[in-house]
Amino acid sequence: MTATTAKKRFGQNFLHDRGVIQRILSHIRPQAGDSLVEIGPGRGALTEGLLQAAGRLTAVEIDRDLIDALTRRFGPSLSLLVQDVLTVDFRALAHASQGPLRVVGNLPYNISSPILFHLLPVADQVVDQTFMLQKEVVDRMVASEGSKVYGRLSVMLQARYTLERIFLVPPDAFSPAPAVDSAIVTMWPLPQAQCQVKDWVIFERLVADAFSARRKMIRNTLVAYEGRLDLAAAGVRETDRPEAVAVQSYIQLANQLTIERTG
Ligand code: SAM
């Protein structure tokens, strides 16, 4: 396998547009002292600028064929974890770096949602996350209730982060060009005091159940909880579709179940 062959199974679309790379770096504004973690450095398109500004960087790369070139190019200031990012213990990384993390990356699109869900439980160890993702995924992440693309991903992430779509990136910024448009998104974990979900396991299950059939009314998708939820108290009508229910209402509904269990 030569360094020039991109591997589809690892979602490899390498950034080559200098203007786009610079724009992403200017938005991230890496600083000396930042505990930066890059997911999927690939051939180092973002790594170079991140390291120049921050002086050190941890990167997680699954593809062993890219490691030699990265090590030769960046030397010991780049700490490389050669593993699947879904097996990385980000809490341990934050403890080792003695500070909350700034997580960045042009993510492999085939596992972007699993990566976002892997990072969710360690949001308390994160300053911010800036990612390149498929535009449609970013649209779903930032969607408000009432939107056609508002769903489980929107609710789960907006309950824990403030999110902002930063700018769009066209396919020709990459080699090979992906078949889809891309977008940069930044996520800032909400301060602990604003984080109202009492039990994330209950919350996650309720949200998944609510969206199990988008066209059904919420009283039907949540029928398993009958008698245990006060929809009106959470500002929800029985006839609402799941996509009409606000994040805050889902949080209140899940907390009703938590209080019922612990109360
Ligand atoms: N950052 C580079 C760039 O912008 O040109 C590469 C981005 S490419 C879209 C995604 C990168 O993530 C590739 O280097 C790929 O090998 C790596 N990758 C894919 N799956 C991974 C996983 N499960 N864990 C860690 N890295 C992974």
Side-chain angles (χ1 to χ4, degrees), residues 67-123:
I67 301 306
D68 271 0
L70 286 167
T71 311
R72 255 184 279 119
R73 182 165 163 202
F74 298 115
S77 52
L78 176 66
S79 164
L80 262 175
L81 304 176
V82 187
Q83 69 186 88
D84 179 350
V85 65
L86 298 177
T87 66
V88 170
D89 182 344
F90 280 88
R91 192 169 295 282
L93 268 189
H95 287 163
S97 64
Q98 294 174 335
L101 306 174
R102 302 192 69 201
V103 189
V104 303
N106 171 14
L107 297 187
Y109 293 175
N110 49 344
I111 54 161
S112 55
S113 290
I115 293 174
L116 295 172
F117 279 103
H118 183 63
L119 286 164
L120 196 52
V122 291

Side-chain angles (χ1 to χ4, degrees), residues 12-254:
Q12 291 179 349
N13 298 98
F14 298 108
L15 260 175
H16 66 77
D17 184 318
R18 300 297 315 167
V20 170
I21 293 168
Q22 205 41 57
R23 223 176 140 194
I24 297 170
L25 291 169
S26 306
H27 169 70
I28 295 172
R29 277 179 195 268
Q31 313 274 325
D34 282 352
S35 298
L36 278 170
V37 181
E38 184 184 6
I39 298 173
R43 295 177 188 154
L46 295 170
T47 318
E48 183 172 28
L50 293 169
L51 259 175
Q52 263 168 17
R56 65 183 177 129
L57 173 73
T58 300
V60 187
E61 176 56 65
I62 200 170
D63 185 355
R64 293 182 176 278
D65 292 338
L66 296 171
I67 301 306
D68 271 0
L70 286 167
T71 311
R72 255 184 279 119
R73 182 165 163 202
F74 298 115
S77 52
L78 176 66
S79 164
L80 262 175
L81 304 176
V82 187
Q83 69 186 88
D84 179 350
V85 65
L86 298 177
T87 66
V88 170
D89 182 344
F90 280 88
R91 192 169 295 282
L93 268 189
H95 287 163
S97 64
Q98 294 174 335
L101 306 174
R102 302 192 69 201
V103 189
V104 303
N106 171 14
L107 297 187
Y109 293 175
N110 49 344
I111 54 161
S112 55
S113 290
I115 293 174
L116 295 172
F117 279 103
H118 183 63
L119 286 164
L120 196 52
V122 291
D124 60 315
Q125 302 292 327
V126 167
V127 179
D128 57 14
Q129 302 177 169
T130 296
F131 297 133
M132 173 98 75
L133 291 164
Q134 193 175 333
K135 175 186 169 293
E136 276 70 22
V137 174
V138 175
D139 288 345
R140 280 165 44 210
M141 291 165 72
V142 304
S144 302
E145 71 270 21
S147 153
K148 269 204 179 99
V149 293
Y150 177 75
R152 179 172 165 252
L153 192 65
S154 334
V155 176
M156 293 302 298
L157 296 181
Q158 290 171 35
R160 192 64 189 87
Y161 305 90
T162 303
L163 299 110
E164 193 181 336
R165 193 177 91 171
I166 307 298
F167 58 87
L168 299 180
V169 181
D172 63 7
F174 305 85
S175 171
V180 292
D181 282 329
S182 302
I184 299 289
V185 65
T186 295
M187 312 164 69
W188 297 268
L190 291 168
Q192 209 66 40
Q194 284 176 40
C195 241
Q196 292 163 5
V197 176
K198 293 198 194 308
D199 183 321
W200 279 88
V201 174
I202 290 178
F203 181 62
E204 191 165 6
R205 196 173 312 138
L206 178 110
V207 174
D209 287 343
F211 283 99
S212 58
R214 294 181 66 91
R215 300 180 66 81
K216 283 193 183 168
M217 289 185 251
I218 195 102
R219 69 160 178 243
N220 294 326
T221 61
L222 295 183
V223 72
Y225 304 88
E226 206 165 7
R228 297 163 57 205
L229 289 176
D230 184 344
L231 294 180
V236 181
R237 284 175 305 213
E238 291 200 350
T239 52
D240 281 341
R241 312 255 173 217
E243 69 227 39
V245 176
V247 175
Q248 277 310 316
S249 296
Y250 280 115
I251 295 174
Q252 285 178 37
L253 290 174

